[in-house]
């Protein structure tokens, strides 16, 4: 059975924690898109980890972790993370890397920096991990698949051809030093040696695993609203963040994905620029940011403070729908225990009209939040393990959100740890 764990918001919903938790019952965990530009924070018996490229299943010795072909694969980052895990006492995970995955080239990272510099105030707030230049090259058909590293003559010829164009852009658009083909070639050869033990046809492996009835988790990065087709374009990421893309990026049949868990945070946060209708500012935002997540809402990759906002029913309903949620995991609910009243965005006002369907970006930019205030529960709900034990106002908040979403909230996360979870049978 294949399950997808994906974000219904702007990312940072707590997917890593849900994946780590569900990985207890899984045989295989697959990363199917994105790169080292975002991170999952996972707290378990080995400590607290920020994973950027590793699938969240790497802490278990019964799971195989896969880098699918849809990933922007940063080789040095991957090994840095692997070494860190080993150093901190995590047993060597079983890892497989798709021979069709493409490699983030050293120059992708440079181009990401240079383009953001060039754009200045109009920049995208990129994490400068090379993701946009990587996917641009992939679709321009000048990317490098892992398998190409193993053919010297092919690799060298292609590298020279690609660098010719890159160097013209570097010289004339960015006014920067040009690239040395031999140095990059040598770097790619070092990647090859590191990767060799892990590379295989992962879609064939997954096909076989599906035939054998294995439990497979597809782990998404970021969330619905950062999807290039359905998100807040152009302030989106460069690969699809949707469960539907899980079948493409992992290389499995779409009809095999039987459960889609849309992870939704009990309030909103976002990184980077872009419309964020329920955003809050000043002391109100600072307080939520400090109390949020596990030790504050600061980027797992960059450490930058996240933008904060109240729960947005319009964005989340859309986020769940576009994911095709069969289940909603409602996370970080414990954080809201300090509030007397909890504002929730139930609609947008755009040019005097009340709107309940998430609009495209040009309209979204003009939207103002319509807020409803729900009573708070004013206590710490961490440690509670059954739905009935939650304070009444807390259950009311969950049920109100569930009704607004129109998708069943079957899991409630009330702390960062693996066991901080309340299941609801729906
Ligand atoms: P991801 O990329 O979707 O996995 O999200 P992040 O890891 O960036 O952000 C989630 C943060 O919230 C992490 O620091 C988690 O440890 C933490 N977290 C996850 N679930 C909960 C929860 O239910 N309560 C609290 N307080 N923190 C949580």
């Amino acid at each position: 059975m294949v399950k997808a764990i994906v974000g219904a918001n702007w990312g940072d919903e707590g997917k890593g924690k849900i994946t780590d938790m569900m990985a207890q019952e899984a045989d295989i965990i697959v990363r199917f898109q994105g790169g080292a530009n975002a991170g999952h924070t996972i707290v378990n018996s080995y400590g607290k980890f920020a994973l950027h490229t590793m699938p969240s299943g790497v802490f278990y010795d019964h799971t195989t972790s896969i880098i699918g072909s849809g990933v922007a694969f940063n080789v040095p980052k991957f090994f840095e993370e692997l070494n860190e895990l080993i150093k901190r006492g995590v047993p060597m995970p079983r890892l497989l890397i798709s021979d069709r995955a493409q490699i983030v080239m050293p120059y992708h990272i440079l181009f990401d920096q240079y383009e953001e510099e060039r754009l200045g105030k109009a920049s995208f707030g990129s994490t400068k991990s090379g993701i946009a230049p990587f996917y641009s090259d992939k679709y321009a058909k000048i990317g490098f698949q892992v398998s190409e590293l193993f053919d010297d003559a092919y690799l060298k010829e292609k590298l020279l051809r690609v660098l010719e164009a890159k160097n013209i852009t570097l010289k004339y658009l960015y006014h920067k030093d040009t690239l040395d083909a031999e140095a990059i070639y040598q770097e790619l050869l070092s990647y090859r040696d590191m990767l060799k033990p892990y590379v295989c046809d992962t879609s064939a492996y997954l096909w076989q695993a599906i035939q054998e009835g294995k439990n497979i988790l597809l782990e998404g990065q970021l969330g619905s609203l950062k999807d290039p087709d359905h998100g807040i374009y152009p302030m989106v990421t460069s690969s699809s963040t949707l469960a539907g893309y899980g079948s493409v990026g992992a290389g499995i049949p779409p009809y095999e994905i039987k459960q889609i868990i849309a992870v939704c945070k009990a309030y909103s946060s976002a990184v980077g620029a872009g419309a964020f209708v329920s955003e809050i500012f000043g002391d109100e935002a600072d307080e939520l940011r400090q109390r949020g997540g596990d030790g504050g809402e600061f980027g797992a990759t960059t450490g930058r403070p996240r933008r904060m906002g109240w729960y947005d029913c319009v964005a989340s309903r859309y986020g769940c729908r576009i994911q095709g949620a069969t289940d909603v995991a409602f996370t970080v609910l414990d954080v809201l225990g300090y509030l007397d009243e909890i504002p929730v965005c139930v609609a947008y006002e755009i040019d005097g009209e009340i709107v309940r369907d998430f609009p495209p970006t040009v309209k979204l930019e003009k939207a103002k939040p319509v807020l409803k205030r729900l009573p708070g529960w004013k206590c710490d709900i961490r440690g509670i393990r059954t739905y009935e034990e939650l304070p009444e106002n807390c259950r009311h908040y969950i049920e109100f959100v569930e009704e607004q979403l129109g998708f069943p909230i079957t899991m409630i996360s009330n702390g960062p740890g693996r066991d901080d979870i309340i299941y609801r049978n729906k």
Side-chain angles (χ1 to χ4, degrees):
M1 166 137 167
V2 184
K3 301 175 184 181
I5 301 171
V6 285
N9 305 134
W10 297 263
D12 306 320
E13 301 93 347
K15 295 175 295 295
K17 176 239 160 101
I18 300 291
T19 311
D20 179 62
M21 190 188 89
M22 291 186 64
Q24 295 176 93
E25 316 269 293
D27 301 301
I28 300 167
I29 292 99
V30 191
R31 281 283 312 268
F32 62 87
Q33 48 91 217
N37 53 332
H40 295 308
T41 314
I42 294 176
V43 183
N44 58 31
S45 54
Y46 295 106
K48 184 172 177 174
F49 294 86
L51 300 184
H52 305 288
T53 51
M54 289 279 158
S56 300
V58 288
F59 298 101
Y60 296 100
D61 52 15
H62 69 274
T63 59
T64 299
S65 297
I66 293 184
I67 300 291
S69 65
V71 170
F73 187 45
N74 183 322
V75 180
K77 271 262 155 39
F78 178 85
F79 285 98
E80 229 172 75
E81 262 176 48
L82 181 59
N83 292 338
E84 172 76 9
L85 293 181
I86 306 298
K87 209 171 78 194
R88 291 176 59 188
V90 180
M92 180 64 194
R94 273 205 300 275
L95 295 162
L96 296 175
I97 296 162
S98 166
D99 54 6
R100 289 186 167 84
Q102 294 200 10
I103 294 167
V104 176
M105 301 291 275
Y107 52 79
H108 286 143
I109 295 163
L110 293 176
F111 275 84
D112 208 352
Q113 289 166 7
Y114 298 160
E115 182 62 8
E116 289 280 288
E117 270 170 38
R118 190 183 74 85
L119 290 171
K121 278 207 170 70
S123 77
F124 289 90
S126 159
T127 59
K128 305 187 183 75
S129 317
I131 304 300
F134 167 90
Y135 282 108
S136 305
D137 279 4
K138 177 171 177 175
Y139 294 108
K141 295 169 285 190
I142 51 170
F144 288 82
Q145 289 189 328
V146 165
S147 57
E148 294 172 22
L149 297 177
F150 295 85
D151 186 327
D152 283 343
Y154 181 94
L155 183 64
K156 208 160 203 173
E157 182 277 322
K158 181 168 168 183
L159 193 61
L160 288 172
R161 181 161 40 87
V162 171
L163 289 188
E164 201 180 329
K166 295 287 168 205
N167 278 338
I168 290 171
T169 313
L170 280 171
K171 194 166 170 191
Y172 294 104
L173 182 65
Y174 298 122
H175 310 292
K176 300 282 185 190
D177 292 344
T178 53
L179 300 163
D180 175 28
E182 184 56 27
I184 295 179
Y185 178 68
Q186 289 304 329
E187 183 155 1
L188 293 180
L189 293 188
S190 74
Y191 290 180
R192 175 178 74 185
D193 297 339
M194 291 193 277
L195 292 175
K196 206 168 181 183
Y198 309 105
V199 176
C200 72
D201 180 345
T202 50
S203 74
Y205 179 89
L206 286 167
W207 174 259
Q208 187 60 34
I210 291 169
Q211 308 312 310
E212 290 167 8
K214 294 267 164 57
N215 283 322
I216 299 166
L217 293 183
L218 304 181
E219 179 181 19
Q221 186 208 35
L222 297 168
S224 304
L225 306 170
K226 293 282 186 183
D227 181 75
D229 279 88
H230 298 284
I232 52 169
Y233 189 86
M235 297 303 178
V236 292
T237 193
S238 305
S239 65
S240 175
T241 56
L242 303 182
Y245 188 74
S247 88
V248 179
I252 59 165
Y255 55 77
E256 292 293 348
I257 305 175
K258 305 295 185 201
Q259 198 182 9
I260 296 173
I261 297 148
V263 185
C264 222
K265 192 149 72 175
Y267 53 89
S268 301
S269 72
V271 286
F276 183 8
V277 180
S278 68
E279 184 167 14
I280 52 176
F281 304 92
D283 293 346
E284 199 179 32
D286 285 343
E287 173 139 43
L288 185 56
R289 185 179 302 111
Q290 294 300 334
R291 290 173 177 270
D294 179 34
E297 291 282 359
F298 299 91
T301 303
T302 56
R304 2 176 227 200
R306 291 176 180 153
R307 297 163 69 193
M308 306 303 297
W310 300 125
Y311 190 75
D312 184 336
C313 297
V314 180
S316 298
R317 178 167 54 241
Y318 174 78
C320 288
R321 171 167 71 73
I322 215 75
Q323 288 290 7
T326 59
D327 295 71
V328 176
F330 198 47
T331 58
V332 210
L333 187 60
D334 50 303
V335 161
L336 298 182
Y338 72 99
L339 291 158
D340 293 325
E341 278 193 326
I342 310 175
V344 178
C345 175
V346 291
Y348 297 163
E349 194 196 311
I350 302 174
D351 293 333
E353 244 183 86
I354 297 298
V355 171
R356 289 179 199 277
D357 290 322
F358 193 73
T361 311
V362 277
K363 287 192 178 162
L364 191 66
E365 303 278 4
K366 297 191 209 162
K368 296 191 177 57
V370 177
L371 296 175
K372 183 179 163 73
R373 288 170 191 279
L374 299 180
W377 47 90
K378 298 292 287 175
C379 67
D380 184 3
I381 59 163
R382 281 205 194 181
I384 293 179
R385 293 289 175 267
T386 63
Y387 189 66
E388 291 68 34
E389 282 171 88
L390 286 172
E392 191 183 345
N393 284 347
C394 182
R395 280 183 278 133
H396 179 229
Y397 186 79
I398 296 164
E399 287 159 28
F400 179 84
V401 165
E402 184 175 51
E403 203 190 318
Q404 292 280 321
L405 290 179
F407 296 93
I409 296 178
T410 58
M411 284 176 235
I412 295 146
S413 174
N414 59 339
R418 264 179 200 169
D419 303 327
D420 298 319
I421 196 82
I422 298 169
Y423 292 99
R424 264 171 102 211
N425 293 324
K426 296 251 70 188

